[in-house]
Amino acid sequence: MNFFVRLAKASLQKRSNTAVQRVFSAIAAGWISGRPVQLVASFQMIDTLSQVLQRLSVEDDVADEVARTVIDMMARGPEQLSPYVILGGSPDLTLKDAEDGGGLATAFAARANLLVTDNLADFMPAGCECFQTSTMRLTDGTERILTCQIVKRSDGHEIVVAHPVDVQNWVGKQLDATTDNVRALFTGRKHVPASSQKQP
């Protein structure tokens, strides 16, 4: 839900054409890189989104509208999903944060291909594949090195975890962000061990 929190912040700050807004536009259009898009969320994630927005002093009715938008977008997707019920966090992977574990569990339950988040370091379990992708200049003038991860569950299903900036670049290049395509994209690039990553 980090993605939708950033989207709401951009709207409240009257910003336009941000990475999350461009990715959201592609999701809302229903297609990314020639593939129909199905948004996935759980009830727990939607409740957390509403709580975070309220902590950010977003009016209750606005926070509720954002939550309804997520649910409506799920229902309009090709699989016409409703929010998932995920109990007990992640069934296969233990992340530091229980909410992140629940988010990853939801993605695996839906057999999603891509998880978009700014909190890359929070979705970096031991043993995942991790690649340096790009460098982002922050508003204070410093730079942040972005990565993407490929996280694998015991049954073999894999998910690409990536930052909105990278995803919007891939959308612009019509890159279908499958694990095979992401691996191919970064073949020959420096491999970043998961244990070395820290969130700035």
Side-chain angles (χ1 to χ4, degrees):
M1 288 294 100
N2 166 271
F3 176 89
F4 283 98
V5 172
R6 288 173 62 86
L7 187 68
K9 280 185 175 180
S11 178
L12 290 170
Q13 295 166 357
K14 302 191 183 305
R15 299 172 65 194
S16 61
N17 207 33
T18 66
V20 291
Q21 287 169 326
R22 291 194 291 271
V23 174
F24 178 78
S25 293
I27 295 170
W31 294 83
I32 291 182
S33 304
R35 182 197 291 258
V37 176
Q38 176 63 62
L39 184 66
V40 174
S42 68
F43 284 110
Q44 181 184 25
M45 293 167 66
I46 293 168
D47 287 345
T48 299
L49 172 62
S50 296
Q51 292 165 12
V52 171
L53 292 176
Q54 288 166 1
R55 288 201 299 268
L56 293 172
S57 299
V58 174
E59 297 291 335
D60 289 355
D61 58 339
V62 175
D64 289 342
E65 179 62 28
V66 172
R68 284 194 297 272
T69 297
V70 174
I71 295 171
D72 289 345
M73 289 180 69
M74 288 184 65
R76 290 198 307 266
E79 298 181 37
Q80 300 180 342
L81 296 180
S82 296
Y84 280 70
V85 177
I86 300 294
L87 303 176
S90 172
D92 297 299
L93 297 168
T94 302
L95 300 183
K96 294 179 181 179
D97 186 276
E99 289 178 4
D100 295 334
L104 188 58
T106 302
F108 274 125
R111 301 194 70 79
N113 298 309
L114 179 65
L115 191 157
V116 185
T117 181
D118 180 66
N119 296 330
L120 296 169
D122 293 338
F123 289 88
M124 204 174 286
C128 72
E129 295 177 66
C130 184
F131 300 97
Q132 182 174 315
T133 58
S134 59
T135 301
M136 180 176 69
R137 184 171 295 279
L138 305 179
T139 55
D140 63 3
T142 60
E143 293 184 340
R144 175 184 174 188
I145 296 174
L146 300 180
T147 62
C148 72
Q149 289 86 250
I150 296 177
V151 183
K152 186 174 183 177
R153 193 168 65 171
S154 57
D155 65 359
H157 183 67
E158 297 178 320
I159 294 175
V160 174
V161 178
H163 192 277
V165 167
D166 285 324
V167 175
Q168 66 96 16
N169 286 336
W170 297 344
V171 169
K173 295 175 181 176
Q174 291 294 299
L175 174 76
D176 187 5
T178 64
T179 53
D180 287 344
N181 285 344
V182 168
R183 285 190 181 102
L185 180 63
F186 297 107
T187 296
R189 296 230 185 155
K190 181 179 178 183
H191 181 269
V192 183
S195 60
S196 71
Q197 288 296 298
K198 299 293 183 185
Q199 183 81 10

